[in-house]
């Protein structure tokens, strides 16, 4: 089944809402505001590809956090398949955080 652009936009908004419920256990800010999500691509068939990173390759949740992201996005209505790619290029840094995240962490 192919979805319209409006339906894909709605799915995208719901994916972002879900991503904002996932937190890095070491930092009290969600992974979306932290800038750990580099890209979310949604095909006409509602297959989703997420490119994300971690705050460091040695992050204690390196195994569990990507799986949590994949599982939660898979639960979004109409999402078909979820492909998650973990990358460390470019390396995450504090400049990738949203203004909201920086404020939350007292960096503004």
């Amino acid at each position: 089944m192919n979805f319209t652009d409006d339906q894909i936009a709605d799915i995208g908004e719901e994916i972002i809402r879900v991503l904002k419920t996932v937190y890095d256990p070491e930092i009290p800010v969600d992974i979306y505001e932290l800038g750990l999500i580099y890209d979310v691509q949604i095909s006409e068939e509602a297959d989703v590809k997420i490119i994300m990173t971690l705050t460091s390759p040695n992050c204690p949740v390196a195994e569990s956090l990507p799986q949590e992201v994949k599982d939660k996005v898979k639960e979004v209505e109409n999402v078909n398949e979820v492909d998650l790619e973990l990358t460390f290029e470019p390396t995450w840094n504090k400049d990738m955080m949203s203004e909201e995240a920086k404020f939350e962490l007292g960096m503004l």
Side-chain angles (χ1 to χ4, degrees), residues 5-73:
D5 288 346
D6 286 345
Q7 289 171 313
I8 289 172
D10 289 346
I11 292 168
E13 285 176 23
E14 185 62 19
I15 288 170
I16 290 169
R17 191 189 66 69
V18 166
L19 291 172
K20 288 184 174 195
T21 69
V22 180
Y23 286 79
D24 183 304
E26 297 177 324
I27 308 170
V29 177
D30 70 77
I31 62 169
Y32 190 82
E33 296 297 336
L34 273 178
L36 298 181
I37 303 298
Y38 286 172
D39 197 12
V40 176
Q41 302 165 1
I42 307 166
S43 74
E44 290 179 354
E45 295 83 27
D47 289 329
V48 177
K49 179 170 185 176
I50 298 170
I51 300 172
M52 70 173 286
T53 193
L54 300 171
T55 51
S56 81
N58 303 325
C59 180
V61 291
E63 297 295 318
S64 61
L65 191 64
Q67 190 60 51
E68 180 183 355
V69 168
K70 195 172 179 177
D71 291 345
K72 285 193 172 185
V73 170

